[in-house]
Amino acid sequence: MTVRMAVFGTGYLGATHAACMAELGHEVLGVDVDGEKIASLAAGKVPFYEPGLPEILQRNIKSGRLRFTTSYEEAAEFADVHFIGVGTPQRKGEFAADLTYVESVIDTLAPLLKDAATIFGKSTVPVGTAKRLGERLRRKSPAGDALELAWNPEFLREGYAVQDTLHPDRMVLGIDDTRSGVAESVAREIYAQIIDEGVPLLVTDLATAELVKTAANAFLATKISFINAMAEVCEAADADVTVLADAIGYDARIGRRFLNAGVGFGGGCLPKDIRAFMARAGEIGADEALTFLREVDNINMRRRTRVVEMAREAVGGSLLGARIGILGAAFKPDSDDVRDSPALNIAGQIQLQGASVTVYDPKANENSRAIFPTLGYAKSAEEACAGADVILVLTEWDEFRKLEPSSLAHTVRQKKVIDGRNCLDSARWRDLGWEYRGIGVRVHSD
Ligand code: UGA
């Protein structure tokens, strides 16, 4: 059955959710306070790089099922199902999450809701937020008790956002067990097609649903930092972390995914989510339970410093006056997102130590320039590497994996490469006379 819904927030999460819900056959209105974003989406243009999303967006705009607006009045009029998909960034100077945007959706929407409605939160929030928001919503709305707020966390990965929304591993729904509401049946109607495919829907209380999301991201971050800690040990022991990851990964209880050592995790989710999780645990008296996440964070940040050191060693002990070519700026491939990107952070640190840095990323040059305007930006890998004393590969784009070492040999000053993602064929680079350094891999292959 077709459900009419509004989706508040049109970033990675909201825009993808809106387009995918229309793709499922629903009538969707995307809402954002940013008029420019709305104009771009309404014209069929996605304001960020996400494979597959533009096609779905355009198809559903054309069919009339998907529209965009900046008007909350229009949204309240149009739908009685509302999704909240705005951001919850890290608060400046603190670990805790900034809930301003989520609260502002509630505060603006509540007075406009006159009749029964269901509100689904999708944003990542500290445990306890949903309960509080539900009370706030009912208090501020003329519809009062006829409103129900449920939590339906999102697990999509950038780069696979469409696939993860339409074919998720699981769906989670937290409902307010103090109310005998309709949220579960509404959710089952909205997601009928996905549920029919056999995707499990776990229905639980609000707090558990909120925690599932933060726990999942904390586990993923821990897995990455675990392997990066092993990389440190491997470096000290002259062992190879890639082989180690392959070998432990064959154990199904461990699994090979998210065991890639490198410059560590970044992006708009993992780093801020583990910090907000620690902050919240402290507030509710469970801080000891999560002190290990501080170490997860430390290991992660240490990787960045380590790669800067490796670059310094490669150019003979001082970066002053050295030329460094950096391949990759996005926090991961198939994304133009540079929020807390290890690659860009490393580029910045190297420049601060007096080197001249040129960056090339297939999609993220523009976003990088906005944050780090003083770095040099190139239009190709070859251009970024021109005259370089050492090249650093910091995002594992396919384009870099496939790089032909000989195509760069004539342009660099020294044939030295640091593979910050262990994504290159080290034997091939070494065979062609390059000095190759990876993360947690043996310095000499023989
Ligand atoms: C992450 C989660 O994977 C999603 O499930 C979640 O929904 C999302 O956050 C969110 O909270 O919204 P995302 O930030 O898109 O998704 O990126 P990931 O694919 O998780 O990668 C995160 C970082 O870890 C990247 O910088 C990546 O390069 C790094 N990484 C990943 C490693 O360093 N090693 C690995 O083995 C895997």
Side-chain angles (χ1 to χ4, degrees):
M1 231 183 76
T2 302
V3 177
R4 281 181 155 208
M5 61 180 78
V7 178
F8 295 85
T10 56
Y12 286 97
L13 167 56
T16 308
H17 189 68
C20 289
M21 291 304 103
E23 183 75 3
L24 291 177
H26 301 304
E27 281 183 46
V28 186
L29 187 60
V31 191
D32 204 294
V33 292
D34 183 338
E36 245 175 71
K37 233 189 233 172
I38 288 297
S40 158
L41 286 162
K45 283 195 211 97
V46 181
F48 48 86
Y49 178 70
E50 184 58 50
L53 187 55
E55 291 79 355
I56 287 199
L57 179 81
Q58 286 152 17
R59 185 160 61 233
N60 286 285
I61 291 175
K62 214 165 161 200
S63 74
R65 281 195 299 269
L66 178 59
R67 293 181 302 115
F68 291 93
T69 184
T70 53
S71 164
Y72 273 60
E73 287 78 8
E74 189 184 345
E77 188 85 4
F78 173 76
D80 52 17
V81 172
H82 302 279
F83 282 94
I84 304 176
V86 291
T88 51
Q90 187 175 339
R91 260 190 239 160
K92 283 206 166 38
E94 281 179 60
F95 269 14
D98 179 354
L99 297 176
T100 316
Y101 304 112
V102 176
E103 284 165 357
S104 142
V105 172
I106 295 286
D107 293 350
T108 318
L109 183 62
L112 303 170
L113 296 174
K114 311 251 165 14
D115 303 308
T118 314
I119 289 87
F120 292 99
K122 292 202 81 64
S123 312
T124 303
V125 292
V127 61
T129 304
K131 187 170 186 304
R132 187 169 58 76
L133 290 179
E135 286 157 10
R136 185 168 171 146
L137 176 77
R138 286 184 284 273
R139 202 172 58 240
K140 295 196 169 197
S141 171
D145 270 350
L147 299 180
E148 189 180 354
L149 185 130
W151 217 258
N152 175 215
E154 181 57 61
F155 302 98
L156 66 80
R157 296 160 296 167
E158 288 177 25
Y160 299 88
V162 171
Q163 158 80 14
D164 286 352
T165 307
L166 291 175
H167 309 283
D169 294 335
R170 79 313 208 172
M171 289 181 294
V172 174
L173 180 69
I175 49 180
D176 190 340
D177 42 22
T178 62
R179 318 186 64 77
S180 55
V182 293
E184 182 177 346
S185 55
V186 174
R188 288 191 183 277
E189 212 172 302
I190 294 171
Y191 297 130
Q193 213 170 302
I194 301 177
I195 295 169
D196 284 350
E197 275 179 16
V199 173
L201 169 68
L202 288 94
V203 182
T204 179
D205 56 275
L206 290 175
T208 307
E210 292 168 314
L211 275 175
V212 169
K213 173 60 197 254
T214 19
N217 277 1
F219 190 83
L220 294 171
T222 304
K223 213 173 168 190
I224 298 167
S225 276
F226 175 83
I227 202 65
N228 280 331
M230 292 307 111
E232 290 184 20
V233 177
C234 284
E235 271 163 29
D238 197 24
D240 192 314
V241 76
T242 309
V243 179
L244 182 140
D246 288 344
I248 63 172
Y250 276 116
D251 184 331
R253 293 169 303 173
I254 296 173
R256 179 62 178 83
R257 294 172 73 188
F258 267 66
L259 277 187
N260 294 323
V263 291
F265 59 82
C269 301
L270 262 43
K272 65 112 175 147
D273 284 353
I274 60 167
R275 292 171 194 157
F277 200 14
M278 283 186 269
R280 186 62 184 144
E283 286 166 9
I284 60 176
D287 45 350
E288 248 182 67
L290 297 189
T291 45
F292 77 95
L293 285 180
R294 187 173 277 275
E295 203 43 44
V296 165
D297 207 352
N298 278 333
I299 295 167
N300 193 52
M301 299 314 271
R302 209 151 64 216
R303 284 290 84 191
R304 303 179 184 189
T305 338
R306 174 70 191 126
V307 171
V308 176
E309 265 167 35
M310 285 166 75
R312 194 173 43 234
E313 284 161 17
V315 299
S318 168
L319 283 162
L320 204 63
R323 288 178 76 155
I324 313 290
I326 293 199
L327 303 183
F331 84 107
K332 68 173 191 182
D334 296 317
S335 169
D336 64 356
D337 195 346
V338 293
R339 285 177 294 170
D340 202 356
S341 167
L344 206 51
N345 189 294
I346 289 166
Q349 287 190 45
I350 289 180
Q351 191 197 34
L352 278 176
Q353 295 192 24
S356 148
V357 179
T358 309
V359 177
Y360 165 67
D361 188 284
K363 295 285 176 199
N365 270 16
E366 282 311 302
N367 287 345
S368 306
R369 201 194 304 270
I371 301 182
F372 272 112
T374 53
L375 295 171
Y377 292 95
K379 289 194 182 65
S380 66
E382 210 168 315
E383 192 186 323
C385 298
D389 295 301
V390 59
I391 306 172
L392 274 62
V393 178
L394 300 181
T395 313
E396 69 276 35
W397 285 95
D398 238 12
E399 181 179 333
F400 303 151
R401 287 180 191 278
K402 290 185 192 141
L403 262 181
E404 192 42 60
S406 54
S407 72
L408 298 177
H410 64 277
T411 162
V412 295
R413 193 144 68 189
Q414 299 190 81
K415 289 206 285 183
K416 293 185 176 186
V417 61
I418 295 173
D419 183 1
R421 293 287 188 177
N422 289 350
C423 64
L424 305 178
D425 180 348
S426 55
R428 176 149 180 76
W429 285 73
R430 280 184 176 131
D431 285 351
L432 290 168
W434 287 72
E435 183 186 300
Y436 171 96
R437 299 280 309 273
I439 303 292
V441 296
R442 303 184 65 196
V443 176
H444 302 290
S445 57
D446 43 13

